[in-house]
Amino acid sequence: MRGMPVYRILEKRLRGETNDQEEIRALIHGFVDGKVLPEQMATWLTAVTLTGLSEEETLWLTEAMVASGKTLDLSSIPGIKVDKHSSGGVGDKVSLITVPIAAAAGVPVPKLTGRALGHTGGTADKLESIPGFRVELTEDELIDQVRKIGCAFAVASKDLAPADKLIYSLRDRTATVASLPLIVSSILSKKLAGGADAFVFDVKFGDGAFMNSLEDARRLACSLVAVSQKAGKQAVALLTSMDEPLGRAVGNALEVAEAIEVLKGEGPSDVREVSLAIAAQMIRLGLSIPNEEARRKAQELLTNGSALEKFQRLIEAQGGNARVLEEMDLLPQAPERVEVQATASGVVGSIATRRLGLLASRLGAGRGTGSDWHPGAGIRLLKKVGDPVTAGETLGILFSPRPVSPQEVNETRACFDIQQAEARKTDLIAGLVA
Amino acid sequence: MRGMPVYRILEKRLRGETNDQEEIRALIHGFVDGKVLPEQMATWLTAVTLTGLSEEETLWLTEAMVASGKTLDLSSIPGIKVDKHSSGGVGDKVSLITVPIAAAAGVPVPKLTGRALGHTGGTADKLESIPGFRVELTEDELIDQVRKIGCAFAVASKDLAPADKLIYSLRDRTATVASLPLIVSSILSKKLAGGADAFVFDVKFGDGAFMNSLEDARRLACSLVAVSQKAGKQAVALLTSMDEPLGRAVGNALEVAEAIEVLKGEGPSDVREVSLAIAAQMIRLGLSIPNEEARRKAQELLTNGSALEKFQRLIEAQGGNARVLEEMDLLPQAPERVEVQATASGVVGSIATRRLGLLASRLGAGRGTGSDWHPGAGIRLLKKVGDPVTAGETLGILFSPRPVSPQEVNETRACFDIQQAEARKTDLIAGLVA
């Protein structure tokens, strides 16, 4: 095997040298074409996991992944197109609120969305709980709709950065998922292929996030912004807390209902706060206006009902029943509904967010759980961190298409840590990387 | 894939933790059984290449590789069985001399041998150039012969440490060949499966060796000795120079002829010196006697013809024509014979040993060179490092079954660096690790 190009590429990497753009492109395209073997790609990914990649190499990797498929051509949409990405969390319905706000401000938002993964939900699954809503748009449908109403949600086509899926599957088999440059290239390859001009990244940290520590989240945020900018895009990242679920609803239809509440000026304040911060950044980049002005605009469009109206037009444009905005019981409801009571008194000190996300997934909110899947499944939290609790009070309600086991009730209860001391809340928005 | 045993094993390794014996065994056996995928094994091998293995882990890896196949049971042979291993070189016919010497001293030597690899020769190929000689012995034949005459040469059966071959092939595909613990486990797994009680390692350094620097060779020697001892074996390693070919003959029959000369008390002094040093260590371990006594014994058995007589009995026992010892032209001879003349005068400053080894291989001495293969092919060196040369003098003679090209003559000439200054010879035996 010595003498083959891939051998030399690996040999350089293992000697601690960097690879040039040509080599990285040959490696990625060779892997997609089946000329580079899985074990050879795994060797490169392992070396990267252990020794890192420079920003330049990360860009080359990302660009090679983009070049493995097609790129959306959004040039027929006037203005600066802004896409938004969340690193994934529990109860994260922020896209449902920010996209209508930004579009109401006149920012074109072709939002590419994903499905639920592990303990986290996916915006596509949430939107599909609205009766009739179609997220599988063609490229033309996506472009037409953004031209007409200013925004659209579409599941990323399999033709965008197909190398990402192949590489991700290999990383999943080889325990090389937790590598910063590989995470960055995975996220960015799909975003760059999506064709937008500017990106707002919501990088979550805490127990319910993929990055548990704020430090790791900041590293990811810095790298996402730096590599995006190297690729000629505008980019900004917010660091937001996932130390407890965002809002009170976890599960597809439950979260849509909560998002509608926020768009009506009601709903939990944490969801509103994060949504306004992200929408403001989308407006700032899309309209090229100062931060404070963008922030005021976002606030105003949420308060005066413009964002809600935009969401209504979006639902209609994508085939959904917009009457859900007024009659929320048109949203699917899970037949089983079980309250979980506290057995101790005190204050909610913390919530095991990741475990709660997995539990919601098992109750029927997640993907790949087979026959239990139900758009109405999930958890509604009645208590959040810092709330006082008396024994016997309801902590949360479980929704499922099938009977909930006592075991699951106990597991839910165990996710709430009831303590005597005062709870220490982490900052909801811990930082911004621009 | 999270949750699978192999995932946890890889995750620990990638986090910088060590693996325990159980995990390493599961990994190797899973790989041999096809349950651990090539990309998963490649991940582990890459992490080991980049971050190393402890001596203990190296032993566990080696033992897991041994347990992947059968182990020779030499218990029916009385005495301390000694095997000898060379890390490979050009013109390295030392085994042909040391095995008869040690056996003549009463040390039982069940010598497992290999085939030519890359630019280096293989003892099995050399012996097969003796008409009738059989190196493919069964386990019973090997044991019977050692019991009868004290020594035997046998190609290692495919049943010994089969994991090694699979792992080596994967390392060859993934550029993870040059990893010290992986080299050690590869060498030792086959030696341990061979069942001997004590090992003498000839670790070569220099241009014609796999380890070019003395430092790397010493590291290999130290690790081989340490891990062997951890495995409950006696072990010693010599560091010998491969900065020029050993002796003057490179090629199978040519090397057998030179070994016979040395066994007759003639031949090149460097071959004799290395052979005596190694034979002395084999005798020291096998008879548990002091170094100086072992050295004297080796010298005496070579001088008084006992070693030659032992070699004769060995050839006869393995079906070979022992008359070659007296009539060397019974050995196969290549039809083409071309002298290479110097075009400049001066002193041979260095010899490109690796290139010369590859050239000999191409002329027909190596494996996998197709129709050119011939037991009589190779190179005889008339000049070695330090020798004065006058333009027009013969540097070496090329032997081949097919016409030698002018290109090959020029390449051979270019392997000799003729300089005006005095040559700097490296020490032939640069160290000993015991």
Side-chain angles (χ1 to χ4, degrees):
Chain A
M1 288 290 172
R2 284 185 199 85
M4 285 189 60
V6 61
Y7 193 93
R8 283 200 302 275
I9 293 168
L10 298 181
E11 204 174 30
K12 278 178 74 174
R13 192 96 238 149
L14 289 169
R15 274 203 305 254
E17 296 169 29
T18 58
N19 290 124
D20 62 30
Q21 186 168 15
E22 193 66 32
E23 289 167 344
I24 290 177
R25 198 184 290 143
L27 187 75
I28 301 305
H29 295 185
F31 180 55
V32 172
D33 295 345
K35 285 175 205 145
V36 169
L37 301 170
E39 54 265 41
Q40 294 171 327
M41 192 67 207
T43 293
W44 196 82
L45 295 171
T46 303
V48 168
T49 299
L50 288 171
T51 62
L53 276 187
S54 71
E55 262 172 25
E56 203 156 40
E57 287 176 304
T58 308
L59 174 63
W60 293 334
L61 170 60
T62 308
E63 288 179 337
M65 288 162 74
V66 171
S68 73
K70 61 178 285 188
T71 300
L72 294 190
D73 177 4
L74 306 180
S75 59
S76 63
I77 304 171
I80 297 170
K81 278 72 74 181
V82 179
D83 198 355
K84 175 250 170 196
H85 177 84
S86 162
S87 67
V90 178
D92 178 11
K93 66 280 294 174
V94 165
S95 289
L96 305 183
I97 301 157
T98 55
V99 171
I101 296 176
V107 177
V109 187
K111 171 79 182 86
L112 295 181
T113 69
R115 301 285 182 182
L117 178 68
H119 66 284
T120 69
T123 300
D125 296 326
K126 291 170 197 175
L127 286 166
E128 280 181 343
S129 73
I130 300 172
F133 200 104
R134 281 177 54 229
V135 289
E136 309 273 355
L137 303 186
T138 65
E139 179 173 351
D140 285 344
E141 286 174 330
L142 171 69
I143 291 170
D144 283 353
Q145 185 178 320
V146 176
R147 285 174 61 96
K148 256 182 230 148
I149 67 164
C151 58
F153 283 95
V155 166
S157 139
K158 285 181 175 46
D159 302 337
L160 301 185
D164 176 58
K165 199 177 172 159
L166 290 170
I167 293 172
Y168 194 88
S169 156
L170 186 63
R171 287 166 59 202
D172 191 38
R173 296 199 294 280
T174 56
T176 52
V177 168
S179 156
L180 184 65
L182 299 182
I183 293 169
V184 168
S185 61
S186 175
I187 293 173
L188 273 191
S189 63
K190 282 173 292 187
K191 289 288 131 185
L192 290 180
D197 307 301
F199 305 119
V200 177
F201 298 103
D202 182 7
V203 180
K204 307 283 190 191
F205 64 91
D207 177 62
F210 283 104
M211 296 287 170
N212 294 146
S213 76
L214 178 56
E215 292 66 39
D216 284 347
R218 184 172 286 118
R219 246 174 245 127
L220 174 56
C222 289
S223 185
L224 282 170
V225 169
V227 179
S228 296
Q229 289 175 347
K230 261 190 194 295
K233 305 289 184 178
Q234 294 189 70
V236 57
L238 283 92
L239 297 160
T240 69
S241 172
M242 196 32 75
D243 260 337
E244 61 179 334
L246 194 63
R248 296 184 177 278
V250 179
N252 297 303
L254 296 170
E255 293 191 39
V256 168
E258 189 169 78
I260 293 170
E261 286 170 16
V262 173
L263 284 167
K264 288 179 173 172
E266 302 151 20
S269 62
D270 59 348
V271 180
R272 188 168 52 247
E273 196 182 326
V274 170
S275 299
L276 282 172
I278 289 170
Q281 291 302 324
M282 293 170 75
I283 293 169
R284 181 175 77 80
L285 295 181
L287 303 185
S288 306
I289 58 175
N291 219 19
E292 279 314 301
E293 193 185 336
R295 173 81 201 189
R296 268 197 310 276
K297 214 179 256 284
Q299 178 77 58
E300 186 192 326
L301 295 165
L302 184 62
T303 312
N304 69 14
S306 304
L308 180 66
E309 195 192 315
K310 188 62 80 178
F311 192 46
Q312 181 187 336
R313 294 199 58 195
L314 179 127
I315 295 174
E316 287 163 353
Q318 298 199 225
N321 183 353
R323 279 166 48 218
V324 295
L325 297 179
E326 297 311 318
E327 301 167 50
M328 290 223 235
D329 49 11
L330 289 175
L331 287 168
Q333 296 188 24
E336 296 286 335
R337 186 192 153 108
V338 175
E339 300 198 354
V340 178
Q341 267 94 24
T343 49
S345 301
V347 169
V348 178
S350 65
I351 296 176
T353 309
R354 181 188 172 85
R355 269 163 62 203
L356 209 64
L358 286 171
L359 207 62
S361 174
R362 249 200 292 146
L363 290 169
R367 285 270 147 192
T369 49
S371 56
D372 291 344
W373 162 259
H374 192 288
I379 301 172
R380 178 171 295 139
L381 294 126
L382 272 62
K383 297 289 179 185
K384 293 200 63 185
V385 173
D387 288 349
V389 175
T390 312
E393 261 193 301
T394 301
L395 295 166
I397 307 167
L398 309 183
F399 299 84
S400 184
R402 45 117 181 127
V404 175
S405 72
Q407 163 77 6
E408 285 164 333
V409 170
N410 286 336
E411 277 182 51
T412 307
R413 186 182 294 116
C415 287
F416 291 79
D417 178 35
I418 313 288
Q419 62 183 40
Q420 302 314 314
E422 209 167 308
R424 276 183 43 180
K425 278 229 182 201
T426 46
D427 287 339
L428 184 60
I429 299 176
L432 178 115
V433 178
Chain B
M1 289 289 168
R2 284 184 199 84
M4 283 189 64
V6 61
Y7 193 92
R8 283 200 301 275
I9 293 168
L10 297 181
E11 204 172 30
K12 279 177 73 174
R13 192 95 237 149
L14 289 169
R15 275 204 304 255
E17 297 170 28
T18 58
N19 291 123
D20 62 30
Q21 186 169 16
E22 192 67 30
E23 290 167 343
I24 291 176
R25 198 185 289 143
L27 187 76
I28 300 306
H29 295 185
F31 180 54
V32 172
D33 295 345
K35 285 175 203 143
V36 168
L37 301 169
E39 53 264 41
Q40 295 171 327
M41 192 66 206
T43 293
W44 196 83
L45 295 172
T46 304
V48 167
T49 298
L50 288 171
T51 62
L53 276 187
S54 71
E55 261 172 24
E56 202 156 40
E57 287 176 303
T58 308
L59 175 63
W60 293 335
L61 170 60
T62 307
E63 288 178 339
M65 289 162 73
V66 171
S68 73
K70 60 178 287 191
T71 299
L72 294 190
D73 178 4
L74 306 181
S75 59
S76 63
I77 305 171
I80 297 170
K81 278 72 73 182
V82 179
D83 199 353
K84 175 250 168 196
H85 178 82
S86 162
S87 66
V90 178
D92 178 11
K93 66 280 295 173
V94 166
S95 289
L96 304 182
I97 301 157
T98 55
V99 170
I101 296 176
V107 177
V109 187
K111 172 76 182 87
L112 295 181
T113 70
R115 300 286 181 182
L117 179 67
H119 66 285
T120 68
T123 300
D125 296 326
K126 292 170 196 175
L127 286 166
E128 280 181 343
S129 72
I130 300 171
F133 200 104
R134 281 177 55 230
V135 290
E136 309 272 356
L137 302 186
T138 65
E139 180 175 351
D140 285 345
E141 285 173 332
L142 172 68
I143 291 170
D144 282 355
Q145 185 177 319
V146 176
R147 285 172 60 96
K148 256 181 233 151
I149 67 164
C151 58
F153 283 95
V155 166
S157 139
K158 285 182 174 46
D159 303 336
L160 300 186
D164 176 58
K165 198 175 172 162
L166 290 170
I167 292 172
Y168 193 88
S169 156
L170 186 62
R171 286 166 59 203
D172 192 37
R173 295 199 295 281
T174 57
T176 53
V177 168
S179 157
L180 183 64
L182 299 182
I183 293 170
V184 168
S185 60
S186 175
I187 292 173
L188 273 191
S189 63
K190 283 173 291 187
K191 289 288 129 185
L192 290 180
D197 308 301
F199 305 120
V200 177
F201 299 104
D202 182 7
V203 180
K204 306 281 190 195
F205 64 92
D207 178 63
F210 284 104
M211 297 285 171
N212 293 149
S213 77
L214 178 57
E215 292 67 39
D216 284 347
R218 185 174 285 119
R219 248 175 242 125
L220 174 57
C222 288
S223 185
L224 282 169
V225 169
V227 179
S228 297
Q229 288 175 348
K230 262 189 192 297
K233 304 290 184 177
Q234 295 188 69
V236 59
L238 282 91
L239 297 160
T240 69
S241 172
M242 197 31 77
D243 261 337
E244 61 179 334
L246 195 63
R248 297 184 177 276
V250 179
N252 296 302
L254 296 170
E255 293 191 40
V256 168
E258 188 168 80
I260 293 169
E261 285 170 17
V262 173
L263 284 167
K264 288 180 173 171
E266 303 150 20
S269 61
D270 58 349
V271 180
R272 187 167 53 248
E273 196 182 326
V274 170
S275 299
L276 281 173
I278 290 171
Q281 291 301 324
M282 294 170 76
I283 294 169
R284 181 175 77 82
L285 296 180
L287 302 186
S288 306
I289 58 175
N291 220 15
E292 279 313 301
E293 192 184 337
R295 173 82 203 190
R296 268 199 310 276
K297 213 178 255 287
Q299 178 76 60
E300 186 192 326
L301 295 165
L302 184 63
T303 312
N304 70 13
S306 305
L308 181 66
E309 194 192 319
K310 187 61 80 178
F311 193 46
Q312 180 187 338
R313 294 200 57 194
L314 178 127
I315 294 173
E316 287 162 354
Q318 299 199 222
N321 183 353
R323 278 168 45 222
V324 297
L325 297 179
E326 297 311 319
E327 301 167 51
M328 290 225 235
D329 50 10
L330 289 174
L331 286 168
Q333 296 186 25
E336 296 287 334
R337 187 192 151 108
V338 174
E339 299 199 358
V340 178
Q341 267 94 22
T343 49
S345 301
V347 169
V348 178
S350 66
I351 295 175
T353 310
R354 182 189 171 83
R355 268 164 63 205
L356 209 64
L358 287 171
L359 206 63
S361 174
R362 249 199 294 145
L363 289 170
R367 286 268 148 192
T369 48
S371 56
D372 292 343
W373 161 259
H374 191 288
I379 301 173
R380 177 170 295 140
L381 295 129
L382 271 64
K383 297 289 179 185
K384 293 199 63 185
V385 174
D387 288 349
V389 176
T390 310
E393 260 193 301
T394 301
L395 296 165
I397 307 166
L398 309 182
F399 298 85
S400 183
R402 47 125 181 118
V404 175
S405 72
Q407 165 77 5
E408 285 164 334
V409 170
N410 286 334
E411 277 182 50
T412 308
R413 186 181 295 116
C415 289
F416 291 80
D417 178 35
I418 313 288
Q419 61 183 37
Q420 301 315 314
E422 209 168 308
R424 274 183 44 179
K425 278 226 181 203
T426 46
D427 287 338
L428 184 60
I429 299 177
L432 178 116
V433 178

